[in-house]
Amino acid sequence: LLPLNIPHTQIIGEQDETISIRHVQDFVADSRQAGDTQVELILLPDVGHFEIVAVRDGAWQVVKEAL
């Protein structure tokens, strides 16, 4: 599946218990190794899995800016 050959940003909360941060970090590293050059990883401190998509949560602002 890699490289994706498009810019992509991975956003994850450091308190996420649903998706492993290590999994996302490995995906970003693998993307770069495969040749993707516009890959960004944003780690949000004190944020869990669902806060990222909760529009009333402060983490949502980070997601909006990344879009």
Side-chain angles (χ1 to χ4, degrees), residues 35-56:
D36 284 332
T37 58
Q38 294 181 312
V39 182
E40 183 178 5
L41 173 60
I42 299 173
L43 294 174
L44 300 175
D46 301 317
V47 173
H49 185 74
F50 294 103
E51 291 87 346
I52 289 174
V53 295
V55 296
R56 292 190 175 112

Side-chain angles (χ1 to χ4, degrees), residues 4-10 31-32 35-41:
L4 297 177
N5 295 315
I6 58 169
H8 54 103
T9 301
Q10 307 303 314
S31 295
R32 291 178 177 147
D36 284 332
T37 58
Q38 294 181 312
V39 182
E40 183 178 5
L41 173 60

Side-chain angles (χ1 to χ4, degrees), residues 13-32:
E14 290 182 349
Q15 302 303 315
D16 194 323
E17 295 180 358
T18 304
I19 298 174
S20 163
I21 291 176
R22 188 76 206 149
H23 177 77
V24 177
Q25 291 170 326
D26 288 347
F27 177 77
V28 168
D30 291 346
S31 295
R32 291 178 177 147

